[in-house]
C-alpha cells in the first residue's frame, strides 16, 4: 500500500497545485489572450508555426523530460532515500520548476520569442545578455553530449529499442506530411491511424531487433553516435512541422503510456497482492548504511540532492525549450499556462514513478545498477500486473527512455542553432544560415562523441557518467539565472516578483555551493576548472542583475494589453 499511497497522494497534490497555485500565477503574470502570440505575429512556417495546443504540449513535454526525471530521481533515491527525493520533487515542481518554466515561456512570448539572454539584455544590459548567451551555449553543449552518449549506448545494448526508434522517425515524417496535405483530416482521426502504427513499431522492435551494426572507429556505439548526429542535423534544419513536431507528438504517447501503465500497474499489483511491489528501500539512507554494503556515498544531501534531481523538480534546460521552440508554436497565453506549468507538474509525476522503481528494490549493493535499467525493470514489474511479460514491459520502458533522449537531442540541436544565429545575427529566413549554424552546433558534441574517457585507474567510463556532475550543476545554475532574469523582468515592469525571487535565491545557493564543492574536490583538473569558470560566470551575472534591481521601471514587451 505504500507505493499506492505515495503515487495517489502525489497526483492529488499536483492537481491541487495546478488549480489553486496556478490561479495565483495567472494573475501574477497577467495572462491575457489579447496579447498576440509570436507564432502568429512572426509566422514563417519553419520555426514560427501556430500549432494545436495538444501537439505543442506533446512536443514540449517530450523535450523537457529527457532522461532527467528518470536518472536524477533514481540516483537520488538510491543514495539518499526516497523521502528527501520525494519532498524536493513535489515542492520543487510546484514552487520552483513550475514558476521557472511558465515564467521563461511567457517572458519569451512577450519579447518576440527571444531567449532568456534576450530578456536579460533588455532589462539587465547588453553585458548581462552576452554572459547569458555564453552560459546558454555551454549548457546546451553539456545536454547534447550527455544525451547523445546515453542514446547511442541504449541503441547498442537494446537492439529492439533501436528498431522501434528508427521506425518512429519514419512514421513521424509521414505524419507531418499528412498533416500538411490533408488539412481537413482532424487530429483525432489521424491518431486513429497513427497510434496503431506506433504500437506496431513497438512490436517490430521485439520481432526484428537491430544487431550487428557496422563498427565505426572500432565501435558499434560510435556508429550509432554518427547516425544520431546526422539525425540531429536534419531535424534542426527542416521545418518544425516536418519532423520535430510530429515525432515529439507521437512519442509523447509513449511517455503517457509509461506514466499511465506504471500507475495502473501499481494499483492493480497492490490489490492483487503482487509481492514484487512490496516497499523495501529505506525512506532515508545514511552514509554509514551505504558504506556497510560497499557503496561510496554520493556526497552531502545539500547541495548534491538538488543538483542530482533536476528534471522532475527544476531544470534550467526547460527555460531553453520554453523560450526556444515552444514559444514559437504556442497560439495563446492561456495555452502557455497549460503547457508551461502543466507539463512541469506531469514531469514531476514521472519523477515520482521513477522513485517507485527504487522503493521495490532490496537494499543491497547489487541494486545500485544503471538508473535506466532500474527504471526499465521497475516499469516491467508494474506492467506485469496488466498481463504483459516482464521482457515486453521492460522493452516498452526502454523505448520510452529512448524517446525522452531523442526528443531532447533534436530540440537541443535546434535551440543551439537559434543561439548561434543570434550571436552572429544571421537571418533565419536564409537556409544556408540554418545549415551552417546547425553544423557549428553539433561540431563540439561530435568531437566528444568519439572519445573514450578513463578513470584514475585507467578503466574506461561512460562519457555521460563523466559529464553528469558538471551537467547537473550547470543545468541548475542555468535555472537559477533564468529565474533571475524572470524576477528582474517582473520587477522592472511593476509586477509582483517575490514568488520568483525566493526560488531563485534557493537555486543560486544550491548551485553556487555545488560548484564551489566540486572545485574543492576536483582541484584544477578538467571538471574542477569548468566548475570554477561556471562559478565565476554566475557571480558576474548576479552582479549585473543587482544593478538592474536599482534601475527604474521599464517595459520592452512587444505585446501589451
Amino acid at each position: 500500500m505504500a507505493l499506492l499511497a505515495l503515487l495517489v497522494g502525489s497526483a492529488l497534490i499536483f492537481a491541487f497545485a495546478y488549480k489553486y497555485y496556478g490561479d495565483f500565477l495567472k494573475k501574477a503574470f497577467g495572462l491575457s489572450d489579447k496579447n498576440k502570440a509570436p507564432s502568429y505575429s512572426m509566422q514563417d512556417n519553419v520555426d514560427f508555426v501556430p500549432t494545436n495546443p495538444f501537439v505543442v504540449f506533446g512536443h514540449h513535454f517530450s523535450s523537457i523530460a529527457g532522461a532527467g526525471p528518470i536518472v536524477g530521481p533514481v540516483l537520488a533515491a538510491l543514495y539518499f532515500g526516497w523521502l528527501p527525493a520525494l519532498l524536493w520533487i513535489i515542492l520543487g515542481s510546484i514552487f520552483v520548476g513550475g514558476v521557472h518554466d511558465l515564467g521563461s515561456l511567457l517572458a519569451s512570448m512577450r519579447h518576440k520569442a527571444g531567449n532568456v539572454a534576450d530578456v536579460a539584455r533588455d532589462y539587465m544590459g547588453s553585458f548581462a545578455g552576452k554572459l547569458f548567451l555564453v552560459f546558454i551555449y555551454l549548457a546546451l553543449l553539456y545536454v547534447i553530449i550527455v544525451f547523445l552518449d546515453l542514446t547511442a549506448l541504449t541503441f547498442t545494448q537494446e537492439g529492439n529499442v533501436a528498431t522501434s526508434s528508427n521506425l518512429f522517425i519514419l512514421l513521424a515524417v509521414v505524419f507531418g506530411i499528412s498533416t500538411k496535405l490533408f488539412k481537413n483530416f482532424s487530429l483525432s482521426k489521424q491518431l486513429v491511424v497513427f497510434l496503431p502504427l506506433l504500437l506496431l513499431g513497438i512490436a517490430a522492435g521485439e520481432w526484428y531487433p537491430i544487431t550487428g551494426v557496422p563498427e565505426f572507429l572500432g565501435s558499434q556505439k560510435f556508429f550509432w553516435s554518427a547516425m544520431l548526429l546526422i539525425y540531429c542535423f536534419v531535424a534542426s534544419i527542416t521545418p518544425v512541422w516536418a519532423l520535430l513536431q510530429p515525432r515529439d507528438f507521437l512519442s509523447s504517447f509513449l511517455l503517457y503510456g509509461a506514466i499511465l501503465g506504471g500507475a495502473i500497474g501499481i494499483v492493480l499489483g497492490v490489490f492483487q497482492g503482487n509481492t514484487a511491489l512490496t516497499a523495501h528501500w529505506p525512506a532515508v539512507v545514511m552514509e554509514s548504511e551505504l558504506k556497510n554494503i560497499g557503496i561510496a556515498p554520493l556526497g552531502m544531501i545539500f547541495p548534491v540532492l538538488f543538483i542530482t534531481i533536476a528534471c522532475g523538480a527544476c531544470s534550467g534546460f526547460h527555460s531553453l525549450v520554453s523560450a526556444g521552440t515552444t514559444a514559437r508554436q504556442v497560439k495563446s497565453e492561456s495555452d502557455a499556462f497549460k503547457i508551461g506549468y502543466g507539463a512541469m507538474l506531469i514531469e514531476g509525476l514521472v519523477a515520482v514513478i521513477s522513485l517507485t522503481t527504487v522503493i521495490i528494490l532490496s537494499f543491497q549493493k547489487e541494486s545500485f545498477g544503471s538508473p535506466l535499467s532500474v527504471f526499465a525493470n521497475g516499469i516491467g514489474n508494474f506492467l506485469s500486473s496488466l498481463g504483459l511479460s516482464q521482457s515486453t514491459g521492460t522493452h516498452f520502458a526502454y523505448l520510452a527512455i529512448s524517446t525522452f533522449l531523442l526528443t531532447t537531442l533534436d530540440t537541443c540541436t535546434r535551440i543551439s542553432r537559434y543561439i548561434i544565429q543570434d550571436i552572429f545575427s544571421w537571418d533565419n529566413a536564409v537556409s544556408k544560415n540554418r545549415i551552417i549554424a546547425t553544423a557549428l552546433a553539433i561540431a563540439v558534441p561530435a568531437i566528444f562523441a568519439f572519445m573514450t574517457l578513463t578513470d584514475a585507474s585507467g578503466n574506461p567510463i561512460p562519457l555521460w557518467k563523466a559529464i553528469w556532475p558538471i551537467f547537473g550543476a550547470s543545468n541548475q545554475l542555468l535555472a537559477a539565472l533564468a529565474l533571475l532574469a524572470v524576477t528582474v523582468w517582473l520587477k522592472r515592469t511593476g509586477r509582483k516578483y517575490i514568488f520568483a525571487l525566493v526560488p531563485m535565491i534557493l537555486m543560486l545557493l544550491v548551485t553556487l555551493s555545488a560548484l564551489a564543492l566540486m572545485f574543492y574536490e576536483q582541484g584544477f583538473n578538467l571538471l574542477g576548472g569548468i566548475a570554477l569558470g561556471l562559478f565565476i560566470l554566475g557571480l558576474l551575472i548576479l552582479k549585473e542583475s543587482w544593478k538592474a534591481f536599482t534601475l527604474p521601471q521599464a517595459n520592452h514587451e512587444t505585446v501589451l494589453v
Side-chain angles (χ1 to χ4, degrees), residues 275-515:
T275 56
L277 303 188
T278 304
H280 296 292
W281 205 262
V284 178
V285 175
M286 307 302 292
E287 284 193 5
S288 57
E289 294 176 308
L290 291 172
K291 292 176 181 177
N292 286 340
I293 61 172
I295 297 294
L298 199 59
M300 297 184 293
I301 195 167
F302 183 91
V304 177
L305 171 70
F306 299 89
I307 64 168
T308 301
I309 301 178
C311 296
C314 180
S315 168
F317 172 65
H318 294 192
S319 69
L320 305 184
V321 177
S322 296
T325 53
T326 304
R328 304 179 185 216
Q329 302 173 58
V330 175
K331 296 168 72 174
S332 67
E333 291 194 356
S334 58
D335 287 347
F337 172 77
K338 298 170 188 173
I339 294 164
Y341 195 62
M344 181 64 246
L345 296 186
I346 292 181
E347 189 185 61
L349 194 58
V350 175
V352 170
I353 291 177
S354 296
L355 291 185
T356 63
T357 65
V358 175
I359 293 174
I360 62 176
L361 297 175
S362 298
F363 188 68
Q364 56 186 355
K365 185 175 183 178
E366 290 71 24
S367 297
F368 287 77
S370 159
L372 300 185
S373 65
V374 169
F375 177 81
N377 288 321
I379 293 296
N381 272 328
F382 301 154
L383 293 180
S384 66
S385 300
L386 303 180
L388 296 177
S389 68
Q390 174 73 33
S391 62
T392 300
T394 302
H395 168 215
F396 178 79
Y398 268 119
L399 190 56
I401 292 168
S402 74
T403 296
F404 283 167
L405 298 170
L406 273 175
T407 51
T408 300
L409 268 179
D410 54 30
T411 300
C412 246
T413 306
R414 198 177 195 96
I415 297 171
S416 296
R417 190 250 292 175
Y418 294 160
I419 296 296
I420 291 171
Q421 287 178 206
D422 286 346
I423 291 173
F424 294 104
S425 300
W426 288 346
D427 186 355
N428 187 61
V430 180
S431 59
K432 181 179 71 173
N433 291 341
R434 296 198 298 271
I435 292 172
I436 296 173
T438 300
L440 292 175
I442 63 175
V444 174
I447 294 172
F448 276 88
F450 304 113
M451 293 173 58
T452 300
L453 300 183
T454 57
D455 59 20
S457 303
N459 301 313
I461 56 173
L463 180 61
W464 74 267
K465 195 170 185 178
I467 298 293
W468 190 267
I470 199 68
F471 160 70
S474 63
N475 182 52
Q476 295 303 70
L477 182 55
L478 177 59
L481 298 180
L483 278 166
L484 181 59
V486 169
T487 302
V488 173
W489 162 55
L490 291 170
K491 182 181 185 298
R492 295 203 61 201
T493 53
R495 299 182 173 99
K496 294 179 180 179
Y497 64 90
I498 300 300
F499 70 95
L501 177 68
V502 173
M504 179 270 289
I505 292 173
L506 169 66
M507 296 307 295
L508 272 177
L509 289 175
V510 164
T511 51
L512 291 178
S513 299
L515 288 169

Side-chain angles (χ1 to χ4, degrees), residues 193-266:
V193 174
F194 283 93
L195 285 184
L197 293 175
L198 192 68
L199 295 175
L200 185 61
I202 297 174
E206 286 285 319
W207 300 331
Y208 305 105
I210 296 178
T211 57
V213 297
E215 291 189 353
F216 181 68
L217 299 178
S219 169
Q220 290 186 348
K221 181 189 159 191
F222 288 167
F223 168 82
W224 282 120
S225 296
M227 293 299 101
L228 288 166
L229 285 167
I230 293 172
Y231 164 75
C232 288
F233 182 87
V234 174
S236 173
I237 63 175
T238 52
V240 289
W241 59 263
L243 181 54
L244 189 75
Q245 271 183 0
R247 206 198 72 78
D248 291 357
F249 175 62
L250 288 175
S251 297
S252 68
F253 285 91
L254 290 175
L255 314 187
Y256 304 146
I259 297 170
L260 189 60
I264 295 174
I266 289 173

Side-chain angles (χ1 to χ4, degrees), residues 133-187:
L133 272 179
V134 170
F135 194 89
I136 289 172
Y137 177 68
L138 291 174
L140 285 167
L141 283 182
Y142 299 140
V143 175
I144 296 174
I145 291 168
V146 166
F147 290 131
L148 180 68
D149 190 66
L150 278 170
T151 310
L153 186 64
T154 301
F155 282 5
T156 303
Q157 296 175 345
E158 305 291 334
N160 48 9
V161 175
T163 297
S164 298
S165 297
N166 282 279
L167 288 175
F168 288 169
I169 292 173
L170 296 177
L171 188 62
V173 172
V174 176
F175 182 83
I177 293 173
S178 70
T179 302
K180 278 293 180 182
L181 292 180
F182 307 108
K183 294 185 177 180
N184 294 327
F185 198 43
S186 68
L187 183 61

